[in-house]
Amino acid sequence: MEPGSYTARLSGTTASDSRELDRVCEEVARAMHEEGTEPPFDVASSNFATDPFLICADRYWRLRFLEHPSIRTAAACSLWIAAHVSREARTEVWEKWSLGYAFITKDSVESAVELSRAMEEIVSRDAPAGDVAYFATLYHAGKLRSDFRFDELHQFLDSSLLALAAGVHRQSALFTALRAFAAFGSPVITAEHAVGMLDQAWSSPDRTRHVVDICLNGLQFALPFAGHGELLRDRAAEAVGDHPGDHMFHFRLASGLHMTGDHDGALADIDTALRLLPALGSRGSHKLLQEQYLAKRDAIAEGRLRAARDLEHRQRLGEQDAHHRERWAQLEEELHRRGEEQARAHREGQETARANHVRSVELVAVFTSAIAFAVGSLQVTLTGDFPLRDRLFMIGAWGIAHVLFALLVVGGTWLITRPRR
């Protein structure tokens, strides 16, 4: 088929019929791939939904990468972008293709030897070596990112010849975001360093949707650190505010809300992500993403149920604790009352015993005085030559003395044993 026929057929499609547009773009892309012809047309926009030329070119390079998933193919793709994609759309196409094709070919990571052999070919291209090396670096780094090989990604970005050949592109927000992603998952890099690089990429004026996605991806799969969930939640909420129709950002936000215990909010956002997830995708797997989202939804629902059960359990424990406290207070009050009664009874018993003892002493004193008076009076009466008058006087004096003695004993006993406050 002549190159002009490709352009003519694509020009005859309309964006209103999405099924027809998809079918025509797929057929033209396969025809070019089978004939070994790169797309001869130019791409003026970054609209992957309605631009037939961009959709067709996307399908073509997808077939090329699936057939030869190497940085050589990435270099060829980079050269085509530089020649056929407008400057306004180039950044979006560059990032979307490099990372998207890396995801669908993540099972074919090239070794260090393969990278070294391909490196010579890449830097000898007529196009600026930095641009080609940067696209190839993003492609290979995207594979390592998709496989969560954090340490290999960190080493590749920092010291590989391919990444070093990217030149000034190493300062880009996307490159920094990939470095932050690698740092978040590495056990040898501190969380503070990773957060610092994330902040640098996040605050960059060149921040794109893909920069945000990589930053959130790194946060979601980072090793746990203080404030982890809160940081993911806040950054994902900001991303959703900027891109409300992006299913991936709603998924990241649901993960952050789940980590911070907001299960209701997480459930609402994961449902939104499932609703926004497109049924088809040329660089990603709809089925894989759907399974991932559904697994997260199950985890959120399970966490929500567990939290409700824990709350019910804590409430039940609180009620039991309050009941036990009430019973203990009642028991303490009862013990205190019984203690007071026993103490009062003991005091009354002691006072009664003391009173009885005092009465006994007084009774003995009075009885002793009476016996002594009787004996003394009898002796005075039966013996001696005293006249009656003297005897009566002596008996009276004797009785008065014993009465005084008895009163003295009784008074002294009362004085000694009287209650004292």
Side-chain angles (χ1 to χ4, degrees):
M1 186 180 295
E2 293 295 327
S5 61
Y6 298 135
T7 305
R9 189 172 183 189
L10 292 173
S11 299
T13 60
T14 59
S16 58
D17 190 348
S18 59
R19 291 182 179 273
E20 178 65 15
L21 176 63
D22 185 76
R23 184 186 65 80
V24 172
C25 291
E26 185 69 24
E27 289 179 358
V28 173
R30 288 190 177 278
M32 289 188 297
H33 180 254
E34 290 172 359
E35 294 178 5
T37 302
E38 292 186 357
F41 44 77
D42 293 334
V43 175
S45 76
S46 59
N47 192 332
F48 284 85
T50 61
D51 188 342
F53 299 100
L54 179 57
I55 296 173
C56 183
D58 186 19
R59 302 295 176 85
Y60 168 81
W61 284 108
R62 177 177 179 272
L63 294 172
R64 283 278 299 268
F65 274 97
L66 288 175
E67 183 180 20
H68 299 292
S70 68
I71 62 170
R72 290 185 176 89
T73 305
C77 181
S78 175
L79 291 174
W80 185 90
I81 293 174
H84 294 276
V85 179
S86 65
R87 288 188 176 275
E88 294 76 12
R90 193 170 299 170
T91 299
E92 172 66 15
V93 174
W94 208 336
E95 295 180 352
K96 195 176 188 71
W97 281 7
S98 61
L99 299 174
Y101 297 144
F103 179 76
I104 64 174
T105 59
K106 62 181 180 179
D107 58 341
S108 59
V109 177
E110 296 171 89
S111 66
V113 175
E114 292 172 322
L115 291 177
S116 177
R117 290 174 180 174
M119 179 65 186
E120 298 179 2
E121 300 179 15
I122 292 176
V123 298
S124 64
R125 301 274 184 173
D126 294 334
D131 294 347
V132 178
Y134 180 52
F135 188 89
T137 298
L138 294 180
Y139 173 68
H140 186 75
K143 288 183 180 181
L144 298 176
R145 170 210 173 195
S146 300
D147 290 333
F148 300 102
R149 295 159 71 165
F150 299 101
D151 288 328
E152 290 183 48
L153 177 59
H154 173 70
Q155 184 177 5
F156 169 73
L157 294 174
D158 274 6
S159 59
S160 72
L161 294 178
L162 181 61
L164 293 175
V168 295
H169 294 293
R170 291 174 58 84
Q171 307 302 321
S172 68
L174 187 60
F175 196 94
T176 305
L178 286 169
R179 293 184 62 203
F181 177 90
F184 274 121
S186 175
V188 298
I189 302 177
T190 64
E192 292 78 9
H193 181 70
V195 171
M197 286 192 292
L198 180 139
D199 290 338
Q200 181 181 347
W202 196 273
S203 60
S204 172
D206 300 327
R207 187 183 77 182
T208 63
R209 184 262 173 204
H210 301 283
V211 172
V212 174
D213 181 45
I214 292 175
C215 288
L216 296 180
N217 191 198
L219 268 177
Q220 183 175 358
F221 293 97
L223 297 176
F225 60 90
H228 182 191
E230 290 77 7
L231 183 59
L232 174 59
R233 177 199 61 198
D234 296 342
R235 294 300 171 86
E238 183 179 344
V240 167
D242 295 336
H243 307 274
D246 196 305
H247 60 88
M248 183 61 70
F249 293 159
H250 281 280
F251 169 66
R252 307 294 189 204
L253 178 56
S255 300
L257 293 171
H258 183 210
M259 293 172 63
T260 55
D262 186 358
H263 303 291
D264 292 336
L267 197 61
D269 270 289
I270 196 63
D271 287 341
T272 302
L274 285 166
R275 186 176 67 254
L276 294 174
L277 180 65
L280 298 173
S282 59
R283 282 165 306 282
S285 172
H286 168 80
K287 183 179 180 181
L288 180 62
L289 290 176
Q290 187 178 53
E291 290 176 353
Q292 186 178 3
Y293 291 3
L294 289 174
K296 174 59 69 174
R297 192 185 193 282
D298 291 340
I300 293 171
E302 182 181 354
R304 185 170 179 263
L305 179 60
R306 190 185 309 114
R309 289 177 177 174
D310 291 343
L311 178 60
E312 181 182 356
H313 182 65
R314 288 194 300 270
Q315 289 177 345
R316 189 179 299 113
L317 289 178
E319 292 174 357
Q320 291 179 355
D321 183 65
H323 177 69
H324 291 161
R325 289 179 181 275
E326 182 180 357
R327 292 292 300 164
W328 180 252
Q330 293 176 353
L331 181 59
E332 286 185 334
E333 184 179 354
E334 181 67 17
L335 292 174
H336 182 68
R337 184 179 61 80
R338 291 185 179 182
E340 289 182 345
E341 291 178 353
Q342 291 177 356
R344 186 168 55 253
H346 180 68
R347 289 195 302 270
E348 292 175 353
Q350 287 182 332
E351 291 176 358
T352 302
R354 185 168 58 249
N356 293 334
H357 179 69
V358 171
R359 299 289 87 75
S360 298
V361 172
E362 293 173 349
L363 183 61
V364 169
V366 172
F367 184 71
T368 302
S369 298
I371 293 177
F373 174 75
V375 172
S377 300
L378 183 61
Q379 185 178 6
V380 171
T381 305
L382 297 178
T383 61
D385 298 331
F386 298 102
L388 178 61
R389 181 179 176 183
D390 294 337
R391 292 180 180 179
L392 292 175
F393 177 77
M394 293 177 64
I395 292 173
W398 183 255
I400 291 172
H402 281 285
V403 169
L404 292 175
F405 172 75
L407 291 176
L408 181 62
V409 172
V410 171
T413 303
W414 175 83
L415 181 64
I416 294 173
T417 59
R418 75 183 189 280
R420 292 178 174 86
R421 293 186 179 276

